[in-house]
């Protein structure tokens, strides 16, 4: 009996092997597909997240895994909301109080208009752009500044888009909504750029600006955010990091303009249970206005970095190296002591028990967050003294951290009675910074200021 | 089964063999050049094992393919009843046939001989293993040449690194006999100081000086793996594991105010891929495992290392915008 030389089994094996090889060699393209467009947002727009606290008792635990509470609000049944918020709350209540806007229930005519205009000004993921022609709010000078100060040229944005897809998309999402595939399993959640708020900025809120400087975003990329899932991207080149920062700014301007359009342009009508446009709504003029407004705020922020006051004390290194009763040690010790007193007065309300007993609150993105536990020594915005200075100076507005006040009434050691102590833009800022820096290190605290150590950590080692 | 299946086996096995023959001559396909003191020992062991297993690989595959071809069901004579009671011995086994004249003896042979080889390997590698893993052989504080002690904390998906401050390091170097200083040296691994330097994804060490890495992880299993240094150690949650090696080549030089690796000391120029040495996580730890990389910067001497350390210490303690 003669067998066929090439039996069926043999051919099948050969075929599968070749298929696998071809698939392995070809790989996938690096840029977004040409036809892909940014979708109009379809998740709830969060407006007054602090009002949520008035309506329900906040849980004492962070967001459960797999759930982005505000994002999923649209999909929650009343039962699940009850489980999570511990009280019977309906979505209609959230809408009625103006806390949420269901973006899918804005009329499709308006959604199409918004989509058209956004695509016209911001392009597609494969070909992103920031096209500000026709926006009356911006002068010619400002439009050219967008390229020089914010580096939002087409070339750089295209490169940024390619890198974003490779490195950032799966957490931060296609439109920068912080709702990528990995996002719901990660706590704290990835940044949603569409609110236009960033946490770790060093632009001066005294000058009325609240957007990050380009170098703040670069720092985040270079150092990562310790204590969260955001890793460091230091091994990418400077040019690649620059391109990514540009692309993030592009996503943020686009997202915030869309956000403002929806939140300012529509209100909930309880009778008809729908979202109606406000009177006088004209998307063709309103949306470009918001785009111009947001771009202006980004531009303005670049001109006003915080200028820290000069650090007047011995450094931590000098103080630790110096002898026990030396001038350096004593000065530093005094600074830490002052800083401790100011901390209790100005920061202790939220950073209860130095952060160890801090309570959860709702941030502007509608997720749970809490004031940092400062005894841990992990600083998300950077651990350099100047980074801690920036945090205290500007606060972290979206998370509810207030900037430090200008003065406070306190009696510092060496003073007879309580008096107004200047903190903001004063050397006392560095007192608080020095205290915060030493706080996690019990050995050092015990050596420098044993009474304070006992107050914070109790007697004994 | 057709006898031509043996052809498929022969082709695939020959291709595998050829890969091993060709690989050492293709850039990036073989072991990178070892640049640590113990690299040679490890590579020697590697080649011994490769040789022994390679020999047995060729032997068994040739026998398998030959038997598949010769004794396949296609051959009419193989399906016919055999009338002889003597076992048919292939020609290449005839020299052993007199001694290995029973099934039992054959099985004893192919158990004892590989067993002896494995036993030899087990004994031969003990010294090398001890050198890199026994904690009694970890580098200690000695005169003038303290090990560069670094705390590496792995986390998804980066390597968080902590160095001693320049003054702490100099204390270890200059007062190596002092009991208090020795205690401080030993406490570095689990007592961080406020003044320690914190960095990410950059491991700075000195050529010719032992490096003592105190390895921990902040979340899941990772593995501290430097291929060129022949170093690999799993990082276990909850455990602190010391890892040490001594680089014997440098790849870093200061250029325009920044320290760059990829420097070839022979060519005296930058941009050489062979001199970019990576720490690559070797234990699957999540979606970012493939890009959990750090870079090793080996300084030529202590002066260069200290210069970098001082510079980074000042940056870490910045009180002004740059």
């Amino acid at each position: 009996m003669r067998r066929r030389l090439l039996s069926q089994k043999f051919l099948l094996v050969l075929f599968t092997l070749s298929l696998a090889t071809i698939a392995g060699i070809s790989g996938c393209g690096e840029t977004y597909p040409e036809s892909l467009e940014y979708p109009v947002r379809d998740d709830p727009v969060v407006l007054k997240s602090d009002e949520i606290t008035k309506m329900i008792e906040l849980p004492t635990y962070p967001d459960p895994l797999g759930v982005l509470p505000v994002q999923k609000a649209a999909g929650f049944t009343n039962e699940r909301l009850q489980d999570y918020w511990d009280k019977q709350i309906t979505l209609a209540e959230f809408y009625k109080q103006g806390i949420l806007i269901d973006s899918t229930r804005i009329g499709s005519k308006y959604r199409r208009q918004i989509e058209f205009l956004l695509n016209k000004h911001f392009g597609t993921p494969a070909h992103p752009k920031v096209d500000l022609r026709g926006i009356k709010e911006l002068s010619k000078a400002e439009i050219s500044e967008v390229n020089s100060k914010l580096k939002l040229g087409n070339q750089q944005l295209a490169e940024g888009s390619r890198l974003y897809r490779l490195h950032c998309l799966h957490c931060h999402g296609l439109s920068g909504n912080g709702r990528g595939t990995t996002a719901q399993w990660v706590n704290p959640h990835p940044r949603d750029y569409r609110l236009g708020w960033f946490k770790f900025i060093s632009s001066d809120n005294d000058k009325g600006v609240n957007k990050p400087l380009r170098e703040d975003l670069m720092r985040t990329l270079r150092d990562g955010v310790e204590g969260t899932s955001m890793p460091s991207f230091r091994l990418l080149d400077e040019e690649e990091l620059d391109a990514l920062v540009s692309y993030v700014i592009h996503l943020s301007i686009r997202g915030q303009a869309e956000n403002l359009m929806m939140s300012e342009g529509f209100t909930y009508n309880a009778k008809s249970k729908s979202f109606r446009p406000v009177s006088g709504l004209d998307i063709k003029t309103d949306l470009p206005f918001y785009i111009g407004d947001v771009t202006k705020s980004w531009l303005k922020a670049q001109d006003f970095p915080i200028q820290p006051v000069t650090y007047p004390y011995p450094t931590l290194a000098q103080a630790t190296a110096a002898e026990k009763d030396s001038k350096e040690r004593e000065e530093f010790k005094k600074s830490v002591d002052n800083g401790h007193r100011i901390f209790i007065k100005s920061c202790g309300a939220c950073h209860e028990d130095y952060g160890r007993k801090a309570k959860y609150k709702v941030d502007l993105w509608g997720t749970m967050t809490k004031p940092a536990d400062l005894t841990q020594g992990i600083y998300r915005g950077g651990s350099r003294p100047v980074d801690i200075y920036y945090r205290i100076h500007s606060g972290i507005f979206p998370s509810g951290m207030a900037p430090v006040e200008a003065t406070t009434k306190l009696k510092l050691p060496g003073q007879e009675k309580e008096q107004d102590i200047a903190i903001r833009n004063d050397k006392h800022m560095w007192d608080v910074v020095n205290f915060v820096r030493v706080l996690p290190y019990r050995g050092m605290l015990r050596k420098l200021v044993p009474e304070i150590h006992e107050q914070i950590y109790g007697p004994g080692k | 089964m057709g006898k031509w299946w043996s052809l498929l086996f022969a082709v695939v096995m020959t291709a595998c063999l050829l890969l091993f023959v060709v690989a050492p001559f293709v850039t990036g396909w073989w072991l990178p050049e070892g640049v640590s003191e113990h690299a040679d020992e490890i590579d020697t062991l590697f080649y011994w094992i490769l040789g022994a297993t390679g020999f047995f690989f060729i032997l068994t595959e040739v026998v398998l393919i030959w038997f598949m071809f010769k004794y396949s069901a296609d051959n009419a004579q193989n399906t016919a009843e055999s009338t002889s009671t003597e076992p048919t011995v292939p020609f290449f086994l005839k020299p052993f046939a007199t001694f290995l004249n029973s099934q039992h003896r054959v099985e004893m042979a192919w158990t004892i001989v590989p067993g002896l080889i494995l036993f030899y390997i087990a004994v031969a590698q003990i010294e090398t293993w001890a050198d890199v893993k026994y904690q009694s052989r970890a580098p200690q504080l000695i005169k003038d040449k303290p090990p560069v002690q670094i705390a590496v904390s792995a986390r998804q998906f980066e390597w968080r690194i902590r160095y001693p401050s320049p003054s702490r390091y100099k204390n270890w170097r200059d007062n190596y006999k002092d009991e208090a200083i020795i205690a401080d040296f030993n406490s570095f691994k689990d007592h961080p100081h406020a003044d320690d330097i914190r960095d990410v994804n950059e491991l700075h060490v000195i050529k010719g000086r032992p490096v003592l890495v105190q390895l921990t992880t902040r979340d899941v299993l990772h593995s501290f793996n430097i291929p060129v240094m022949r170093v690999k150690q799993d990082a276990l949650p909850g455990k602190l594991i010391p890892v040490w090696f001594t680089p014997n080549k440098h790849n870093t030089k200061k250029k325009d105010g920044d320290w760059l690796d990829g420097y070839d000391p022979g060519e005296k120029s930058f941009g050489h891929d062979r001199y970019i040495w990576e720490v690559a996580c070797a234990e699957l730890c999540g979606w970012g495992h493939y890009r959990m990389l750090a870079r090793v910067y080996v300084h030529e001497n202590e002066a260069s290392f200290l210069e970098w350390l001082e510079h980074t210490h000042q940056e870490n303690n910045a009180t002004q915008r740059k």
Side-chain angles (χ1 to χ4, degrees), chain A residues 400-419:
Chain A
M401 172 166 170
V404 73
E405 54 245 295
T407 60
T408 189
K409 242 187 171 47
L410 207 56
K411 175 165 145 359
L412 292 176
Q415 291 168 349
E416 287 130 30
K417 58 179 171 64
E418 261 195 15
Q419 49 192 268

Side-chain angles (χ1 to χ4, degrees), chain A residues 180-356:
Chain A
T181 357
T182 4
Q184 57 185 294
W185 305 106
V186 141
N187 201 325
H189 303 300
R191 181 69 57 242
D192 177 355
Y193 306 131
R194 300 168 309 171
L195 209 58
W197 284 107
F198 291 79
K199 282 194 183 181
F200 311 118
I201 63 179
S202 69
S203 54
D204 201 343
N205 55 336
D206 279 343
K207 307 284 193 296
V209 296
N210 50 33
K211 289 273 187 277
L213 305 174
R214 270 192 68 97
E215 69 183 71
D216 294 330
L217 297 175
M218 288 290 272
R219 186 213 69 84
T220 302
L221 283 178
R222 240 187 257 116
D223 297 344
V225 181
E226 197 180 355
T228 71
S229 294
M230 170 76 183
S232 148
F233 288 92
R234 190 182 291 195
L235 295 187
L236 295 176
D237 297 329
E238 280 297 302
E239 298 89 48
E240 293 177 310
L241 293 179
D242 264 324
L244 275 170
V245 168
S246 297
Y247 188 72
V248 166
I249 297 177
H250 151 83
L251 286 177
S252 182
I253 296 179
R254 185 190 175 283
Q256 193 179 2
E258 185 186 39
N259 188 327
L260 285 169
M261 187 69 252
M262 289 188 176
S263 53
E264 306 279 308
F266 299 87
T267 50
Y268 185 64
N269 184 310
K271 230 162 79 177
S272 61
K273 297 211 174 88
S274 63
F275 289 87
R276 292 296 183 76
V278 299
S279 71
L281 174 77
D282 179 12
I283 293 182
K284 280 201 280 299
T285 50
D286 289 345
L287 184 51
F289 169 77
Y290 291 127
I291 296 175
D293 208 33
V294 171
T295 311
K296 267 209 181 117
S297 66
W298 273 95
L299 282 173
K300 190 172 174 212
Q302 309 304 311
D303 289 330
F304 296 108
I306 298 175
Q307 299 294 0
V309 300
T310 319
Y311 180 83
Y313 305 112
T315 62
L316 181 72
Q318 287 167 340
T320 21
E323 293 296 318
K324 187 154 186 268
D325 292 311
S326 63
K327 189 167 85 101
E328 282 102 359
R329 189 70 85 87
E330 284 306 310
E331 271 187 48
F332 192 80
K333 187 176 149 168
K334 218 175 100 170
S335 172
V336 171
D337 192 12
N338 285 350
H340 178 226
R341 288 163 200 272
I342 300 172
F343 180 90
I344 294 180
K345 183 99 197 298
S346 302
C347 322
C350 288
H351 290 276
E352 290 179 52
D353 193 23
Y354 309 95
R356 287 177 296 197

Side-chain angles (χ1 to χ4, degrees), chain B residues 259-315:
Chain B
W259 284 264
L260 297 177
D261 61 354
Y263 176 76
D264 184 336
E267 305 257 332
K268 295 202 193 312
S269 60
F270 291 93
H272 295 268
D273 278 345
R274 270 182 57 226
Y275 284 85
I276 293 186
W277 299 333
E278 287 179 340
V279 180
C281 181
E283 182 65 40
L284 182 60
C285 49
W287 58 260
H289 164 72
Y290 74 98
R291 57 145 175 244
M292 186 165 161
L293 298 166
R295 293 252 273 257
V296 183
Y297 292 76
V298 186
H299 291 256
E300 188 173 3
N301 47 38
E302 190 185 67
S304 168
F305 171 76
L306 275 177
E307 202 189 339
W308 172 83
L309 203 66
E310 289 278 358
H311 170 87
T312 314
H313 184 244
Q314 282 188 17
E315 276 199 347

Side-chain angles (χ1 to χ4, degrees), chain B residues 131-287:
Chain B
D131 271 343
V132 299
K133 295 290 181 190
Y134 283 17
Q135 291 194 26
S136 54
R137 299 198 186 187
Q140 303 287 329
L141 261 189
I142 54 168
K143 181 173 165 53
D144 285 343
K145 299 181 91 185
V148 180
Q149 190 175 201
I150 304 174
V152 173
S153 184
R155 79 174 196 108
Q156 290 172 319
F157 297 98
E158 57 190 7
W159 301 93
R160 288 261 157 200
I161 315 219
R162 176 168 61 88
Y163 298 89
S165 65
S167 54
R168 196 175 182 187
Y169 174 84
K170 285 186 198 151
N171 240 342
W172 296 343
R173 181 190 60 189
D174 300 333
N175 303 316
Y176 67 99
K177 276 205 188 133
D178 193 328
E179 296 256 338
I181 300 296
I182 295 177
D184 182 57
F185 178 82
N186 291 330
S187 75
F188 174 79
K189 58 184 187 285
D190 40 26
H191 283 95
H193 278 195
D195 206 28
D196 287 342
I197 295 168
R198 283 158 182 84
D199 203 4
V200 183
N201 285 349
E202 288 188 11
L203 203 76
H204 286 256
V205 297
I206 307 173
K207 175 174 79 170
R209 189 73 72 85
V211 181
L212 180 58
V213 167
Q214 306 287 2
L215 183 66
T216 51
T217 164
R218 295 193 190 181
D219 36 48
V220 297
L221 286 172
H222 296 277
S223 184
F224 184 73
N225 167 41
I226 312 177
V228 300
M229 303 286 177
R230 308 289 191 263
V231 164
K232 192 179 283 190
Q233 174 60 53
D234 279 5
L236 271 58
K239 261 185 100 90
L240 187 146
I241 303 171
V243 184
W244 56 93
F245 59 96
T246 306
N248 60 14
K249 249 194 175 160
H250 71 278
N251 73 339
T252 301
K253 204 169 163 67
K254 191 170 179 188
K255 183 183 182 198
D256 301 330
D258 200 6
W259 284 264
L260 297 177
D261 61 354
Y263 176 76
D264 184 336
E267 305 257 332
K268 295 202 193 312
S269 60
F270 291 93
H272 295 268
D273 278 345
R274 270 182 57 226
Y275 284 85
I276 293 186
W277 299 333
E278 287 179 340
V279 180
C281 181
E283 182 65 40
L284 182 60
C285 49
W287 58 260

Side-chain angles (χ1 to χ4, degrees), chain B residues 96-103 105-106 109:
Chain B
F96 300 97
T98 42
F99 178 64
L100 303 174
N101 52 12
S102 72
Q103 185 63 16
R105 284 199 176 191
V106 170

Side-chain angles (χ1 to χ4, degrees), chain A residues 46-60:
Chain A
V46 183
L47 297 173
K48 300 181 246 170
S49 62
D50 44 339
E51 301 269 331
I52 295 179
T53 350
K54 295 194 191 133
M55 295 179 68
I56 49 104
E57 203 177 294
L58 282 182
T60 52

